[in-house]
Amino acid sequence: GAVVSQHPSRVICKSGTSVKIECRSLDFQATTMFWYRQFPKKSLMLMATSNEGSKATYEQGVEKDKFLINHASLTLSTLTVTSAHPEDSSFYICSARDLRGLAGDGELFFGEGSRLTVL
Amino acid sequence: SQQGEEDPQALSIQEGENATMNCSYKTSINNLQWYRQNSGRGLVHLILIRSNEREKHSGRLRVTLDTSKKSSSLLITASRAADTASYFCASCTNAGKSTFGDGTTLTVKP
């Protein structure tokens, strides 16, 4: 089946630094990718929709300048957590829908997630 | 809140028993999907049911959808210890946006 690769799987950084997380669709093209945040024992919270070649669409309450999203190609979206603080520590997961899913149909393929710890 | 609701929040059963999880959602949907997540890992797609379908089977999984009640259920038959995981439903709109339920943590005891 389709594969979405997410890197890094774990990252520890100091407060105030920026961290970049990559999400790649390995065997299909994805014009749309999604970024989620998951707190321990909680569900996934959609942060933003990443659109290839255009600006990301952020959910209410998510700071655009804090969580920078770039979707430069049909197979790669990046999430940069800028000036990270301990409260940004979380599990970040990306997902992608292949071109057949543009109408809303089709399954989402998820990356393995990236655990960010900000000291 | 963007979240749907799932119940029960936690379910503990013996191997061989059936496990039923329920999910409710709030908006009109194109389809509803169920996912599984092992602790600390990404999500794995289990099954998709479209808004015009009422029931779907895949191996030991059976999913039902009631759009009038905006609810879905996932039944895992003859459970195994390896089925221990968290299970999430995701309701997907025509625009392609998915909203996840709060999840059910299933523990299958050997």
Side-chain angles (χ1 to χ4, degrees), chain B:
Chain B
S1 167
Q2 66 170 316
Q3 307 297 339
E5 296 180 1
E6 288 185 62
D7 75 271
Q9 287 188 326
L11 181 60
S12 182
I13 59 175
Q14 291 294 134
E15 209 165 26
E17 295 180 339
N18 296 340
T20 300
M21 290 161 263
N22 302 297
C23 160
S24 62
Y25 56 92
K26 298 179 180 177
T27 62
S28 296
I29 62 170
N30 176 285
N31 63 76
L32 186 140
Q33 303 177 34
W34 284 88
Y35 292 85
R36 167 197 169 121
Q37 183 181 35
N38 286 78
S39 182
R41 306 292 298 274
L43 274 72
V44 174
H45 181 264
L46 295 176
I47 195 166
L48 179 154
I49 186 166
R50 292 185 170 79
S51 60
N52 61 352
E53 297 177 313
R54 292 296 167 259
E55 186 172 313
K56 202 162 184 179
H57 296 254
S58 176
R60 293 185 296 113
L61 306 179
R62 172 176 168 258
V63 170
T64 62
L65 179 65
D66 187 335
T67 52
S68 66
K69 296 181 180 178
K70 290 187 167 59
S71 67
S72 174
S73 69
L74 171 68
L75 169 67
I76 303 174
T77 60
S79 65
R80 305 166 182 168
D83 294 329
T84 295
S86 292
Y87 292 83
F88 294 92
C89 69
S91 55
C92 187
T93 67
N94 287 328
K97 185 174 174 180
S98 293
T99 301
F100 284 81
D102 290 334
T104 294
T105 300
L106 173 65
T107 302
V108 181
K109 301 174 186 174

Side-chain angles (χ1 to χ4, degrees), chain A residues 30-105:
Chain A
T31 56
T32 303
M33 291 185 176
F34 303 89
W35 286 97
Y36 299 84
R37 183 173 179 176
Q38 186 178 32
F39 293 98
K41 300 188 187 299
K42 296 291 185 183
S43 186
L44 280 71
M45 181 186 77
L46 179 64
M47 298 174 65
T49 302
S50 173
N51 305 298
E52 188 268 335
S54 64
K55 292 182 179 180
T57 305
Y58 289 81
E59 295 299 304
Q60 192 172 9
V62 178
E63 298 176 60
K64 301 177 184 180
D65 296 332
K66 175 74 173 177
F67 299 100
L68 299 179
I69 291 173
N70 184 284
H71 196 150
S73 76
L74 284 171
T75 59
L76 173 64
S77 174
T78 60
L79 167 69
T80 301
V81 183
T82 63
S83 186
H85 290 284
E87 58 264 31
D88 298 325
S89 298
S90 193
F91 193 54
Y92 294 88
I93 305 177
C94 71
S95 69
R97 197 187 302 278
D98 69 25
L99 292 178
R100 293 168 299 177
L102 278 178
D105 203 357

